[in-house]
Amino acid sequence: MINGASSRHASMKHINMFFVITALLASQSQSCDTTVRRIVCTGYSLTTVPTILNEKPWMLNLEDNLLSTLSEDSFKGLTTLLTIYLGFNQLSELPEKIFNGLTALTSIFLDNNQLSTLPEG
């Protein structure tokens, strides 16, 4: 029984390692805390959205960084995103079509930025 449990634990560890996903930071040497469906890049002083290699995340957390602008393509192709956290940055405006194509998106958190208007849609 102990051998079976140990083998099962090793197997689970291998499966967990297999599903760890990496998000590259374009101008940083740090990597975000990532799992299969959750990408957390908080407090890295990011000035741009990192390149996301996992194309099917459910959640992207970019809170507490130095993001001041975003491009229309910042979240392009991340069609499975349900939630985006962008709070505690320096955003003053958002591109008109920034969330186009994010058909699963249900929640966007923008608190503690300098936004005075939001794009329609």
Side-chain angles (χ1 to χ4, degrees):
M1 186 88 164
I2 292 174
N3 286 341
S6 178
S7 174
R8 184 174 21 165
H9 177 67
S11 223
M12 289 302 292
K13 186 175 179 182
H14 177 71
I15 290 170
N16 288 339
M17 291 302 291
F18 177 78
F19 285 111
V20 172
I21 312 239
T22 305
L24 294 179
L25 304 178
S27 62
Q28 307 283 331
S29 61
Q30 303 159 321
S31 63
C32 299
D33 175 22
T34 61
T35 61
V36 175
R37 299 290 184 161
R38 179 176 140 300
I39 300 172
V40 179
C41 299
T42 58
Y44 285 128
S45 299
L46 298 176
T47 57
T48 59
V49 175
T51 302
I52 308 297
L53 297 179
N54 174 4
E55 296 177 6
K56 297 186 180 186
W58 290 339
M59 188 271 287
L60 176 59
N61 189 336
L62 297 173
E63 287 186 322
D64 195 21
N65 283 292
L66 301 174
L67 299 173
S68 59
T69 60
L70 299 173
S71 74
E72 285 187 4
D73 295 334
S74 291
F75 308 112
K76 186 177 182 179
L78 301 176
T79 58
T80 57
L81 274 179
L82 298 171
T83 306
I84 300 175
Y85 294 90
L86 292 168
F88 299 91
N89 280 286
Q90 300 172 1
L91 298 170
S92 57
E93 65 181 344
L94 295 174
E96 192 66 34
K97 299 178 182 180
I98 190 164
F99 302 116
N100 282 11
L102 303 182
T103 55
L105 193 62
T106 59
S107 301
I108 306 165
F109 294 89
L110 296 164
D111 51 313
N112 291 293
N113 280 290
Q114 287 105 35
L115 295 165
S116 56
T117 62
L118 295 174
E120 290 186 27

